[in-house]
Amino acid sequence: MWSVTGQTRAVSLLQRSLESGSLAHAYLFVGPAHVGKMTLALNLAQALNCEAAGPPCGECDSCQRIASAKHADVQILDLGSGGDSAESESRVKISVEQIEQLQHSASLPPFEGRHKVFILDGVEFLSIGAANRLLKTLEEPVGKVIFILLTTNESLLPATIVSRCQRVELVPLAAGEVEDALCSRWGVEPEKARLLARLCGGCLGWAVSAAGDDGLLQQRAEWLDRLLEITKADNEQRFAYAAQLVDRFSQNRGLVQERLDLWLDWWRDLLLVKVGCSDTVTNIDRLATLTEMAGGYSLAQIRAFIDSIRVAGEQLRLNANPQLVLEVLMLSIPDEGKVKNLSV
Ligand SMILES: [Zn+2]
């Protein structure tokens, strides 16, 4: 049984390839962070090495050791996605030179299973040199070796790598799907499940982490408070905040992107409240603040700022100068209050 939640298209594609013996030598799993790429990759590795009749069974010795990252033929390599998914100590932080080691390892027969599987997480962070070396490996496939590359942003990958892989897209789950899974599989209480299902944006992995770690919700609340403060602050304070983010960005890109996503969700919620769709907001636990705040901005202002946040996120992903991007974003925060009491 495939343990990944949802992703029926991706699962049935892989299942069909397994049954017909037409597996690719390399897969590229594309999808947002925490959507289930690693779970699906481990499921595929299990299916390839499972000892039971209906792979992946999830219960045989091989399946269990793969699930706990202890199988000698399944290597997980973390290419440095920003450190937000360091849950397993068995993950290896890979340097450019280690791709060569990987090539050597791929040339040896499986130790205990039927297939060697290399799962490369955050493959968009490969340097050009490392990508070229990996490309060589992908171009000369070895019989029992399968590469599964995971990425949140395939546009940062060399086209030559993408073209050597079979692309499998993982899509965000519906909020209801996440809510059900949280209640039935992780025993989360209904009210909390409802909130987490909205907040995770279809990425179940985040919701599961947050269900078991109140610190994540606490941190989100603090970030959100800070962003709301900045919205009402003067330019000097906004620039100081931008400078802090730039500083963070140099250490951890993912963290800055998370703040932008949080801000984007907030302003999307304002838009929803503004057009009378309060029941579909993400931040359901802050509906009162959203409703009050929505009164202070026009629909055009909200739309324009949503665009600004999106553009900033895209520019950061494309390696634009972070200080410039974030300062421009700060300058585009709309002024509150000019449209008070005006109808939409
Ligand atoms: Zn099994």
Side-chain angles (χ1 to χ4, degrees), residues 45-190:
Q46 287 174 322
L48 288 164
N49 287 300
C50 180
E51 295 151 14
C57 73
E59 283 165 11
C60 69
D61 184 51
S62 176
C63 280
Q64 289 199 358
R65 273 183 306 126
I66 290 171
S68 53
K70 285 182 180 135
H71 196 289
D73 293 317
V74 178
Q75 283 189 36
I76 302 169
L77 310 160
D78 189 340
L79 297 160
S81 52
D84 60 341
S85 54
E87 71 276 3
S88 167
E89 287 186 12
S90 61
R91 284 185 173 205
V92 187
K93 280 274 176 207
I94 194 169
S95 69
V96 179
E97 293 72 22
Q98 283 173 292
I99 293 284
E100 273 173 0
Q101 251 172 289
L102 180 152
Q103 279 175 311
H104 174 68
S105 173
S107 69
L108 303 171
F111 297 112
E112 51 178 320
R114 291 190 305 275
H115 285 91
K116 279 206 159 181
V117 182
F118 294 92
I119 303 171
L120 279 69
D121 194 7
V123 79
E124 69 271 28
F125 294 105
L126 276 175
S127 67
I128 300 286
N132 282 335
R133 273 175 230 174
L134 177 65
L135 184 61
K136 236 174 150 311
T137 310
L138 299 179
E139 279 171 338
E140 296 158 10
V142 192
K144 298 287 183 190
V145 180
I146 289 190
F147 285 88
I148 310 175
L149 315 184
L150 316 184
T151 185
T152 56
N153 189 351
E154 64 188 308
S155 68
L156 296 179
L157 284 172
T160 42
I161 293 229
V162 177
S163 69
R164 297 295 186 286
C165 301
Q166 176 161 6
R167 187 177 178 280
V168 178
E169 187 169 353
L170 283 82
V171 291
L173 306 180
E177 221 172 343
V178 174
E179 198 177 326
D180 289 347
L182 287 175
C183 292
S184 62
R185 287 180 60 185
W186 283 274
V188 179
E189 54 164 292

